[in-house]
Amino acid sequence: MARFLLLNGPNLNRLGMREPHIYGHTTLAQLEKQLTEFASEYEVELTCYQSNYEGALIDQIHRAESLYDGIIFNPGAFTHYSYALRDAIASIQTPVIEVHISNIHAREPFRHQSVLAPVTAGQIVGLGVNGYRLAILALLDIVEGKGK
């Protein structure tokens, strides 16, 4: 059984309440439940973690290398400027898929750049919460040797 870590960064604890016209009405608890059930259909054990603190996310990334086969990561606003998170991802062998609910490339100019993308296995944007499901499937392909 594959083991994946789902990481959600700052303000994602406000899903369903924060700008629902952009991020939808699904709460983080609902999303985590849906994704855990989806992952189990593919024999994937999914561990969910959310933090508004950069250092806590870095600690999870470091720990992930010995505990998980892959990481699904929505870094929120850290996407655009956290070189510390970029370096944490670059320091591990565990594949990471970057996920964004909204299309960051169609929003404000400061959101167009991801400093994390160059060190991830891939990036999924603009597909709403379905992007997380696609990330699970993509990681499965990677860890089973079919992907990158």
Side-chain angles (χ1 to χ4, degrees):
M1 177 175 269
R3 299 183 73 213
F4 294 163
L5 175 62
L6 170 63
L7 285 180
N8 277 294
N11 298 310
L12 287 151
N13 57 307
R14 303 281 301 158
L15 279 179
M17 299 171 278
R18 174 186 174 223
E19 301 175 279
H21 63 286
I22 295 173
Y23 301 108
H25 295 280
T26 304
T27 67
L28 182 61
Q30 291 167 335
L31 176 62
E32 290 175 345
K33 183 179 185 300
Q34 292 169 10
L35 293 174
T36 299
E37 291 170 359
F38 179 80
S40 71
E41 292 175 21
Y42 291 88
E43 298 183 3
V44 172
E45 179 185 322
L46 187 67
T47 301
C48 303
Y49 182 84
Q50 186 277 329
S51 180
N52 294 317
Y53 300 98
E54 185 179 40
L57 294 166
I58 291 168
D59 289 343
Q60 289 295 317
I61 292 166
H62 290 169
R63 283 188 203 109
E65 188 165 41
S66 62
L67 298 175
Y68 300 101
D69 301 300
I71 301 171
I72 299 128
F73 189 20
N74 184 338
F78 288 140
T79 301
H80 316 294
Y81 64 88
S82 179
Y83 294 105
L85 282 170
R86 183 213 179 278
D87 290 348
I89 293 167
S91 79
I92 63 171
Q93 296 300 310
T94 308
V96 176
I97 303 284
E98 180 183 342
V99 174
H100 297 281
I101 295 168
S102 68
N103 182 350
I104 62 173
H105 305 291
R107 294 187 60 195
E108 304 93 334
F110 77 88
R111 295 187 196 274
H112 296 181
Q113 173 70 28
S114 168
V115 300
L116 309 181
V119 295
T120 64
Q123 183 188 66
I124 300 170
V125 303
L127 301 177
V129 295
N130 288 322
Y132 289 97
R133 290 180 188 86
L134 295 172
I136 290 169
L137 297 175
L139 276 177
L140 271 175
D141 281 349
I142 291 168
V143 300
E144 292 174 355
K146 298 175 189 167
K148 212 172 174 185

